[in-house]
């Protein structure tokens, strides 16, 4: 296999998957879900809901299959879905997005991210700035594009970036500033001054803002502000979202990317050779979801806030210090109070023995900064109340 070098090796290394012997490990999500399955542990690791989404959305997919929506949808995505995305952007954010030229449907947010990064950066002189810890595919895709990853730390417990550190990292080689708001894995929602500084820096250094807003409808008592709505942002911003979190359909992989036509055309040139298209029957169903009344969207935010509260209380009762998430599925806990030195060991050892699975935050960091996050663990709250209650009961064993 010596002849197989290049992109796969760079990507595996970028994702932290390359073992010292050169073999490739599975992603942390696959590993931890397998651990939960093997041990009977409650899986608060991989972020996926354990309940179905809205009935209308599921029904629409069944109907679409019965009605014969089983062949390739158009390359840009079904017009009906692109129109629904446009309506959604106008309804919630006052953004005018032309469904004909400013939206592309993708195979999940994951493909949108990959296509955008592959389209916009090329080689080690191009830098991509991300906030660390970061969702694992970011570093992998930057590596796949052969570009250079630059990171700005988000520090426990507030996880807002320091604006001077941010300004020090962005420079004229920065091609993309990659934002994730609300943030995985920390649950942070960026303050307005952070978003404004990102826009200022993008202008000053002629960078594109790529923003991953898959948790846009899961904020707790704070409004979600798409960075594209800030003055001067739209013309250099590509906004990504997905139906997975909002409609509890993570397996459907219907995502989208919107922004100015010139940037989007570059993304499309890559996307059309990745999956070309996907999800013919799921696309119209997500369109139905995006047109659900406001009460549905308010309801999922309230539900996630309540569940985060149950999870946080359970973690605190077990003796862990806990972050105060303002959005997303995730809560971060510091296991040092329970004697943990290395959260990865703690997750595979005492935590798994207690019957709960979490993800060490070091899975989302560069090797250089691993020490700063060594004792932190990400837990997902997107589970049924009784599952969270049972997890809390099992966690209590850690305190004894
Ligand atoms: N971005 C973030 C921040 C995520 O947490 C996830 C997965 N949950 C994705 C992207 C991938 O989204 P999708 O499943 O739509 O590809
Ligand atoms: N996005 C989900 C998470 O962060 C799942 C990701 C995955 O399985 N690749 O947990």
């Amino acid at each position: 296999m010596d002849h197989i070098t290049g992109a796969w090796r760079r990507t595996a290394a970028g994702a932290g998957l390359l073992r010292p012997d050169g073999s490739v490990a599975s992603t942390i999500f696959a590993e931890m879900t397998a651990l939960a399955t093997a041990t009977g542990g409650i899986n608060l690791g991989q972020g996926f809901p354990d309940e179905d989404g809205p009935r209308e959305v599921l029904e629409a997919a069944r109907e679409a299959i019965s009605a014969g929506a089983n062949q390739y949808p158009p390359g840009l995505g079904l017009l009906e879905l692109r129109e629904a995305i446009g309506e959604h952007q106008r309804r919630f954010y006052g953004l005018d997005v032309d469904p004909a030229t400013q939206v592309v449907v993708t195979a999940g947010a994951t493909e949108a991210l990959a296509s955008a990064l592959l389209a916009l950066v090329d080689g080690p002189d191009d830098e991509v700035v991300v906030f660390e810890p970061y969702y694992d595919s970011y570093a992998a895709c930057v590596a796949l594009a052969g570009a250079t990853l630059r990171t700005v730390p988000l520090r426990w417990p507030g996880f807002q970036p320091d604006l001077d550190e941010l300004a020090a990292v962005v420079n004229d080689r920065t091609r993309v500033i990659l934002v994730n708001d609300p943030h995985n894995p920390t649950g942070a929602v960026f303050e307005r001054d952070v978003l404004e500084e990102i826009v200022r820096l993008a202008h000053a250094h002629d960078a594109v803002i790529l923003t991953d807003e898959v948790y846009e409808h899961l904020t707790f008592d704070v409004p979600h502000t798409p960075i594209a709505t800030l003055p001067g942002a739209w013309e250099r911003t590509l906004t990504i979202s997905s139906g997975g979190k909002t409609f509890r359909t993570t397996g459907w992989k219907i995502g989208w990317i919107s922004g100015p036509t010139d940037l989007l055309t570059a993304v499309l040139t890559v996307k059309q050779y990745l999956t070309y298209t996907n999800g013919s029957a799921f696309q119209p169903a997500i369109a139905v979801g995006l047109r659900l009344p406001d009460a549905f969207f308010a309801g999922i935010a309230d539900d996630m806030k309540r569940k985060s509260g149950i999870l946080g209380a359970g973690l605190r009762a077990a003796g862990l210090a806990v972050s105060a998430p303002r959005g997303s599925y995730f809560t971060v806990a510091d296991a040092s109070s329970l004697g943990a030195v290395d959260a990865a060991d703690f997750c595979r050892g005492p935590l798994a023995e207690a019957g709960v699975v979490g993800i060490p935050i070091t899975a989302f960091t560069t090797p250089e900064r691993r020490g700063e996050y060594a004792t932190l663990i990400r837990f997902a709250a997107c589970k049924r109340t009784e599952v969270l209650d049972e997890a809390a009961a099992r966690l209590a064993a850690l305190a004894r």
Side-chain angles (χ1 to χ4, degrees):
M1 301 274 276
D2 277 354
H3 58 288
I4 307 178
T5 55
W8 84 268
R9 191 174 283 279
R10 282 204 307 270
T11 311
L17 301 181
L18 207 57
R19 294 199 185 98
D21 69 1
S23 63
V24 179
S26 58
T27 75
I28 190 71
F29 304 113
E31 180 197 333
M32 290 304 179
T33 291
L35 179 67
T37 307
T39 60
I42 295 178
N43 190 355
L44 305 185
Q46 192 174 32
F48 62 89
D50 61 355
E51 282 175 292
D52 274 340
R55 189 188 39 76
E56 303 91 316
V57 173
L58 303 185
E59 198 46 50
R62 286 188 201 102
E63 279 169 15
I65 290 174
S66 300
N70 301 308
Q71 312 308 328
Y72 300 125
L76 291 176
L78 215 61
L79 181 59
E80 185 187 337
L81 174 55
R82 286 183 281 129
E83 284 174 347
I85 293 164
E87 288 165 27
H88 171 278
Q89 296 306 89
R90 163 142 289 284
R91 168 160 59 135
F92 288 99
Y93 310 125
L95 279 172
D96 271 321
V97 177
D98 176 5
T101 60
Q102 296 179 330
V103 185
V104 174
V105 177
T106 56
T110 306
E111 189 195 33
L113 284 157
S115 308
L117 288 167
L118 289 169
L120 297 174
V121 297
D122 180 27
D125 292 340
D126 287 353
E127 297 186 357
V128 178
V129 171
V130 304
F131 296 88
E132 178 172 18
Y134 45 76
Y135 182 57
D136 66 343
S137 85
Y138 297 1
C141 288
V142 171
L144 192 56
T148 299
L149 186 74
R150 301 289 309 273
T151 70
V152 179
L154 304 177
R155 295 202 177 84
W156 163 272
F159 297 117
Q160 295 291 322
D162 178 275
L163 299 188
D164 293 333
E165 280 180 322
L166 172 59
V169 170
V170 181
N171 67 78
D172 287 345
R173 287 186 303 280
T174 305
R175 297 296 306 276
V176 174
I177 304 175
L178 175 46
V179 179
N180 174 212
D181 183 38
H183 186 257
N184 179 4
T186 66
V189 169
F190 281 180
E191 300 286 0
R192 175 117 189 159
D193 63 341
V194 172
L195 300 180
E196 284 171 353
E197 179 65 357
I198 292 168
V199 176
R200 189 189 72 75
L201 290 166
H203 272 276
H205 299 285
D206 196 21
V208 171
I209 300 166
L210 182 60
T211 171
D212 173 348
E213 302 183 2
V214 299
Y215 300 101
E216 61 185 321
H217 287 295
L218 300 176
T219 61
F220 315 149
D221 302 326
V222 282
H224 170 63
T225 305
I227 197 165
T229 61
L230 266 62
W234 165 262
E235 64 268 23
R236 56 177 65 246
T237 300
L238 285 166
T239 304
I240 292 171
S241 194
S242 159
K245 319 296 160 178
T246 301
F247 305 113
R248 295 182 177 154
T249 51
T250 61
W252 288 10
K253 300 297 284 190
I254 302 298
W256 51 90
I257 180 164
S258 57
T261 308
D262 55 341
L263 288 175
L264 210 58
T265 303
V267 175
L268 187 62
T269 58
V270 176
K271 185 266 183 289
Q272 68 187 347
Y273 294 116
L274 292 180
T275 58
Y276 174 44
T277 58
N278 74 302
S280 53
F282 298 130
Q283 291 195 16
I286 295 295
V288 168
L290 289 169
R291 288 174 170 142
L292 287 172
D294 291 356
F296 164 77
F297 295 90
I300 59 170
D302 285 350
D303 184 57
M304 192 52 60
K305 180 185 166 197
R306 186 180 57 79
K307 289 175 168 175
S308 286
I310 297 172
L311 174 63
L315 291 164
R316 267 188 292 274
L320 294 114
V322 176
S323 69
R326 298 203 301 167
S328 86
Y329 286 165
F330 307 111
T331 295
V332 179
D334 184 352
S336 61
S337 54
L338 297 180
V341 180
D342 179 310
D345 290 343
F346 188 80
C347 287
R348 293 181 184 112
L351 190 62
E353 280 151 30
V356 176
V357 170
I359 306 242
I361 290 287
T362 49
F364 307 100
T365 66
T366 51
E368 300 77 49
R369 282 225 174 82
R370 215 149 270 174
E372 293 175 40
Y373 299 95
T375 59
L376 302 183
I377 302 174
R378 187 194 85 171
F379 292 93
C382 49
K383 306 294 171 184
R384 280 167 292 138
T385 304
E386 57 268 35
V387 173
L388 295 170
D389 286 342
E390 172 61 18
R394 294 187 185 190
L395 287 166
L398 290 169
R400 284 183 215 123

